Amino acid sequence: MVAQPSQPHSMTVDEWRELEEHSEIKHEYIDGQIYAMAGGTLAHSFVAVNVVALLKSILRGRSCRAYNSDAAARLSSTRFTYPDATVTCDERDRPTTKLREIKTPRVIVEVLSDTTEAYDRGMKFGFYRECPHVQEYVLVSTKYQLVEVYSRTPKSWEYHAYGPGDEVELVSIDVHLPLASLYEDTDVLEFLDTPEGQV
């Protein structure tokens, strides 16, 4: 995502929807401003594909569905994002040619990149926390093999980190993802290569 809004003036949700229908690039919509979505590395793209494919396979035959970054997640009446993967368990979000937005995102997955990591961890996480439907927020690193899961509890958000050899647990959809499968066929390092003498 770019650092500054793509349009200098405020835009209505309907204007944004019209733009998305005809634009060659996607734009996230946050409180009247639109933000063009930037491309990522091949590793970023492939990890995102692995995430969606694995979720789709595990959820087959169940009421929950996984969508890729072509589907917008509706966080509120004025906030719409394009996560790398979104899981919804609401029948109103079933695949149809008439809908372009997920109304009740339960699990949001963002694959991190150098240009978006600070935003994904900061302000964007704030938007996700404010959406009552979102139960888990998953951050997948591409610097090395690390998956971080923030899970909503009645009082706060719990944090869990997973590394090589672990299974990533998504409690809200009763799913376990082998971390190695998320990085399959990529050159993402298992561990961060720290220069000798540094911690």
Side-chain angles (χ1 to χ4, degrees), residues 137-152:
Y137 182 43
V138 183
L139 297 174
V140 183
S141 176
T142 53
K143 291 179 181 176
Y144 61 104
Q145 296 184 19
L146 171 70
V147 174
E148 299 166 277
V149 179
Y150 293 88
S151 303
R152 187 188 297 272

Side-chain angles (χ1 to χ4, degrees), residues 21-90:
E21 196 166 333
H22 300 98
S23 177
E24 294 182 0
I25 60 172
K26 298 190 296 287
H27 304 81
E28 294 191 332
Y29 182 90
I30 304 294
D31 301 330
Q33 299 294 324
I34 63 168
Y35 300 81
M37 301 298 295
T41 65
L42 292 181
H44 180 285
S45 175
F46 206 81
V47 169
V49 168
N50 284 344
V51 169
V52 175
L54 195 56
L55 285 169
K56 182 178 184 297
S57 175
I58 293 173
L59 294 172
R60 182 174 284 115
R62 295 169 53 178
S63 59
C64 299
R65 298 179 179 88
Y67 288 93
N68 67 11
S69 60
D70 287 336
R74 183 186 190 277
L75 307 179
S76 73
S77 61
T78 63
R79 292 176 181 166
F80 299 81
T81 63
Y82 286 99
D84 289 300
T86 307
V87 176
T88 174
C89 301
D90 194 316

